[in-house]
Amino acid sequence: MAEPAVHLNTLVIKPTGELRGTDILLRPVQDTDTATLDRIVREPAVAAWWSPPDDYADMLAITHSGKVIGAIQFSEETDPEFRHAGIDIFLTTSHHGQGLGTDAVRTLAHWLIHERGHHRLTIDPAAANTAAIASYRKVGFKPVGIMRAYGRDYRTGGWADGLLMDLLADELT
């Protein structure tokens, strides 16, 4: 097993290989993916919810039919009293509404629960991102509550509310 990258109380251990969903494949981001991911994260419908990351190294590329269509990442809390994992995702606009994001989240959630042993997962979309919220509900995530002025609203430059959602292992659909 590779040495994990440690960030405060989080532990990131990427899957050693690929994770296959129903219609997508998750794999570690390669250097050749960076330009595509930069383009995707700057699409207006994606940039409304995401800012370009400094580095894609801790992400997994989401591929469909052999092409990179987005990225997904996770973090793991290592404190045994609060052990859980969180997920974030972005997908190219041309593949929105096709169930591919749902497939990617479900695939990663399955790995985090069954391979990494997490009993609880979280995800925190902007409260106004109704499409993302609907997708996460299909996986089994449930709303926990609104986090006021939680994240930067890239459309206005102000602060936006976030919706904290969680999923318990036996709720994964």
Side-chain angles (χ1 to χ4, degrees):
M1 183 186 314
E3 283 294 315
V6 177
H7 305 280
L8 298 176
N9 261 358
T10 63
L11 176 66
V12 176
I13 299 175
K14 287 189 201 176
T16 55
E18 300 172 338
L19 300 177
R20 292 195 178 277
T22 303
D23 294 313
I24 57 88
L25 174 77
L26 305 180
R27 62 162 174 75
V29 168
Q30 301 167 355
D31 291 340
T32 55
D33 300 330
T34 301
T36 300
L37 294 172
D38 277 340
R39 179 187 48 76
I40 292 169
V41 83
R42 286 176 169 78
E43 294 173 3
V46 178
W49 313 112
W50 268 84
S51 64
D54 294 330
D55 188 5
Y56 295 102
D58 287 338
M59 294 185 175
L60 300 170
I62 302 168
T63 66
H64 175 65
S65 300
K67 295 183 181 176
V68 173
I69 63 167
I72 192 166
Q73 64 184 4
F74 65 94
S75 61
E76 298 182 275
E77 172 60 57
T78 60
D79 183 328
E81 290 188 54
F82 302 98
R83 185 166 160 70
H84 71 280
I87 298 174
D88 283 310
I89 181 174
F90 66 85
L91 202 63
T92 186
T93 309
S94 64
H95 286 82
H96 287 184
Q98 299 174 25
L100 299 174
T102 302
D103 190 12
V105 170
R106 183 179 292 118
T107 300
L108 184 57
H110 186 274
W111 181 79
L112 288 167
I113 290 168
H114 297 288
E115 298 297 323
R116 297 291 302 145
H118 290 286
H119 76 284
R120 181 174 162 271
L121 306 178
T122 62
I123 201 160
D124 56 359
N129 192 344
T130 57
I133 293 166
S135 174
Y136 307 150
R137 283 181 184 270
K138 290 176 187 172
V139 176
F141 282 88
K142 294 181 167 80
V144 174
I146 296 291
M147 298 176 291
R148 299 176 302 141
Y150 178 65
R152 188 63 69 189
D153 184 330
Y154 297 105
R155 297 164 298 173
T156 67
W159 293 99
D161 292 346
L163 176 64
L164 178 60
M165 302 178 80
D166 72 0
L167 168 82
L168 300 180
D170 62 354
E171 297 169 340
L172 179 63
T173 59

